[in-house]
Amino acid sequence: MTKIVAGAALGLWGTMAQAADDVTLQLKWVTQAQFAGYYVAKDKGFYEEEGLNVTIKPGGPDIAPEQVIVGGGADVIVTWMAAGLAARERGVPLVNIAQPFKTGGLQVNCLKSTGVESPEDFAGRTMGVWFFGNEYPFYAWMASLGLETDGADENGVTVLKQAFSADPLIQGQADCISTMTYNEYNQIIEAGITPEELVTFNYLEMGFGMLEDGLYVLEDDLEDPAFKDKMVRFVRASMKGWKYAEENQEEAAEIVIENDASGAQELDHQLYMVGEVAKLTAGSNGALDPADYEQTVQTLLSAVSEENPAITKEPEGAWTHEITDEALN
């Protein structure tokens, strides 16, 4: 009898294990604390509690999440709103289903020794800019200042295509560079440059804020009730992971390190990153704020040009509360 009960229990367990729904998440960048909430959700069993078997795929310099999802390599991706809208206008029907990052960490840092004190001092300077969809806020800002970006004369700026590091500023190749509050800014400080030696321009404070890390799926997939149900559970568990990371930063940093297959990340830097990212997620329960979306759209439309071709018209259907309404209430 005991054997029969045990066998039945094993059978039930096997059925439950088989019932877990697979979800593949493609990150925007390599394994680091920028994505701590997802790693925490997986490590703490939050996805498992929702009946999900989640695979987290790290990104990298040659990986565009928008291309991965349209190619069938992921169910859901992390990307920035500007890149998501640009892809949508070009035929990849991405829809934002959740927005874990309430505010953004993108900024520009310049060395005071270059003489830059305000945006009025940018003319004639060399500025490091990230591309692959990260350049849109920069071009919108320069357009608002009336600065050309071809480096042709002293009335504009010279754009340096910046790798994802702070080296151009540290090594004197650029007067100003792009940084994230939670990553490259700290690299500058760790290189021995003090905060007092820097001038910081935050895109949000400059009025060119754009939504950063959000969760996006393909519009057609949302027509499938089974897929929608998976995303409801995925978003609920992911936000539980984010809130856990905010409150348990040392543990979250350690979880990120454990999941870094490259072995390149260091605990001290990841702990710093968890703390800074927590400032960006703290104001979000996961639901996109339509006002933030509108600011992103208007910033992009304010500087449409060949150099800044993110979007050329008001997007339609680019976000939904259908998932978060069910997941968070």
Side-chain angles (χ1 to χ4, degrees):
M1 182 66 180
T2 303
K3 289 183 178 178
I4 294 174
V5 172
L10 286 171
L12 177 61
W13 175 255
T15 301
M16 291 175 65
Q18 291 174 1
D21 293 314
D22 292 332
V23 173
T24 299
L25 169 68
Q26 175 65 60
L27 303 180
K28 181 177 173 60
W29 192 239
V30 300
T31 298
Q32 59 180 9
Q34 176 183 355
F35 312 107
Y38 310 111
Y39 287 112
V40 166
K42 186 175 177 67
D43 186 84
K44 302 300 290 184
F46 300 156
Y47 290 134
E48 189 176 4
E49 290 172 2
E50 293 285 353
L52 297 175
N53 176 34
V54 175
T55 299
I56 302 175
K57 297 171 69 174
D62 299 321
I63 298 174
E66 298 80 7
Q67 294 178 8
V68 172
I69 194 170
V70 80
D75 299 296
V76 55
I77 63 173
V78 177
T79 194
W80 287 10
M81 177 65 79
L85 293 179
R88 185 175 177 83
E89 186 165 302
R90 287 155 184 75
V92 180
L94 292 175
V95 177
N96 178 298
I97 60 168
Q99 188 60 42
F101 277 33
K102 170 63 178 174
T103 58
L106 180 63
Q107 57 188 19
V108 168
N109 279 112
C110 310
L111 287 172
K112 285 184 180 177
S113 59
T114 64
V116 174
E117 296 180 353
S118 72
E120 286 70 34
D121 299 319
F122 284 161
R125 306 290 180 174
T126 296
M127 305 186 72
V129 181
W130 289 322
F131 282 77
F132 304 105
N134 301 315
E135 71 275 29
Y136 301 129
F138 169 80
Y139 282 111
W141 189 20
M142 294 302 108
S144 76
L145 295 172
L147 291 173
E148 297 177 350
T149 54
D150 57 4
D153 53 46
E154 291 298 310
N155 294 321
V157 300
T158 298
V159 173
L160 173 69
K161 289 189 177 181
Q162 181 183 337
F164 289 91
S165 79
D167 287 350
L169 191 78
I170 297 169
Q171 297 173 0
Q173 299 159 349
D175 300 294
C176 307
I177 64 168
S178 302
T179 66
M180 301 304 296
T181 55
Y182 51 78
N183 197 355
E184 291 77 14
Y185 178 78
N186 196 46
Q187 292 177 14
I188 297 173
I189 302 304
E190 289 179 338
I193 299 172
T194 67
E196 292 73 25
E197 294 176 285
L198 295 170
V199 181
T200 299
F201 303 99
N202 183 285
Y203 275 94
L204 284 171
E205 295 172 0
M206 293 293 110
F208 298 94
M210 297 191 190
L211 287 168
E212 295 177 3
D213 294 31
L215 292 170
Y216 294 77
V217 301
L218 292 175
E219 187 169 0
D220 289 349
D221 287 341
L222 289 174
E223 296 178 4
D224 178 359
F227 180 84
K228 285 179 65 176
D229 177 62
K230 280 200 304 184
M231 290 301 103
V232 167
R233 288 180 279 144
F234 174 75
V235 168
R236 184 160 53 223
S238 296
M239 290 312 302
K240 189 175 179 180
W242 276 116
K243 296 310 165 187
Y244 189 94
E246 289 173 13
E247 297 170 0
N248 302 274
Q249 297 184 7
E250 289 189 13
E251 184 180 355
E254 290 171 354
I255 290 172
V256 170
I257 291 293
E258 291 169 0
N259 282 276
D260 174 31
S262 73
Q265 305 295 0
E266 297 179 351
L267 182 58
D268 287 348
H269 187 65
Q270 294 309 302
L271 183 56
Y272 166 83
M273 190 179 291
V274 169
E276 291 300 314
V277 168
K279 298 174 184 175
L280 309 183
T281 59
S284 174
N285 66 355
L288 180 144
D289 185 335
D292 294 337
Y293 166 81
E294 189 61 26
Q295 181 187 37
T296 298
V297 170
Q298 294 310 315
T299 296
L300 292 173
L301 290 177
S302 70
V304 176
S305 69
E306 292 184 1
E307 295 172 318
N308 190 45
I311 57 173
T312 59
K313 58 186 178 183
E314 287 271 359
E316 295 182 1
W319 62 274
T320 179
H321 278 164
E322 285 187 48
I323 302 300
T324 50
D325 281 350
E326 191 168 344
L328 308 174
N329 296 318

